[in-house]
Amino acid sequence: MTFLRKRLSILVSHDSTHLLVTKGALPNILAVCSSAEIANGPPVEIAAVQERIQQHLVNFSHQGFRILGVAYKNLGDQSVLSKNDEIGMTFLGFLVLFDPPKPDIVKTINSLKELGVS
C-alpha cells in the first residue's frame, strides 16, 4: 500500500489465470475503474452506477463505518505487476469496517481543547 495512491494491489493466480485485486480508499479505487459489477448481470460502465456508489458511501459513513473499495482486473497470463496495471479495472464492492469511537473520546477531546487544540 502506498500513501500517495491510497490503495494496495495483489496478484491472485490460479492455474494460468491471474487476477489483479486492489483495495483502498474509495475515491482512489473508483479512479482506476472503467466498469462495475452489478447483481444478476454483466459489468456496466462505472458512470452508470457512480451516483449509487456515492450514496452507499454517504449512508455507510453516516452510520460510523469506515469504507474501502475493492476492484479487480483479469490479467490473463501476465504474471508480473506494476502500478501501471491499475487501470481499466472493475469495481466489485465495498469493505465496510466498524470503527466505533473509543469510550473515553469525550475526555480526550476536552483535554485537547484545554491544550488549545481546535
Side-chain angles (χ1 to χ4, degrees):
M1 177 129 180
T2 66
F3 292 106
L4 295 175
R5 293 183 346 204
K6 295 185 179 178
R7 58 183 180 256
L8 171 78
S9 292
I10 61 169
L11 183 66
V12 178
S13 300
H14 180 22
D15 296 328
S16 62
T17 301
H18 302 284
L19 288 179
L20 171 65
V21 179
T22 304
K23 64 113 177 153
L26 188 60
N28 298 62
I29 294 297
L30 294 176
V32 297
C33 291
S34 58
S35 62
E37 280 201 6
I38 58 170
N40 304 320
V44 298
E45 290 293 318
I46 194 75
V49 293
Q50 189 86 24
E51 190 173 312
R52 195 166 30 165
I53 291 169
Q54 291 302 325
Q55 190 57 52
H56 282 300
L57 173 63
V58 168
N59 291 341
F60 288 137
S61 296
H62 283 148
Q63 295 175 53
F65 294 108
R66 291 182 58 223
I67 310 302
L68 297 176
V70 179
Y72 74 95
K73 179 179 179 181
N74 187 336
L75 296 177
D77 61 359
Q78 180 182 337
S79 61
V80 177
L81 281 184
S82 81
K83 66 181 179 180
N84 297 326
D85 293 316
E86 294 176 339
I87 58 168
M89 299 189 75
T90 301
F91 179 74
L92 187 57
F94 304 96
L95 288 175
V96 181
L97 307 167
F98 182 60
D99 192 15
K102 304 293 184 239
D104 59 350
I105 191 65
V106 173
K107 179 181 172 186
T108 302
I109 291 171
N110 288 334
S111 294
L112 289 170
K113 284 182 182 178
E114 289 174 12
L115 293 170
V117 177
S118 58

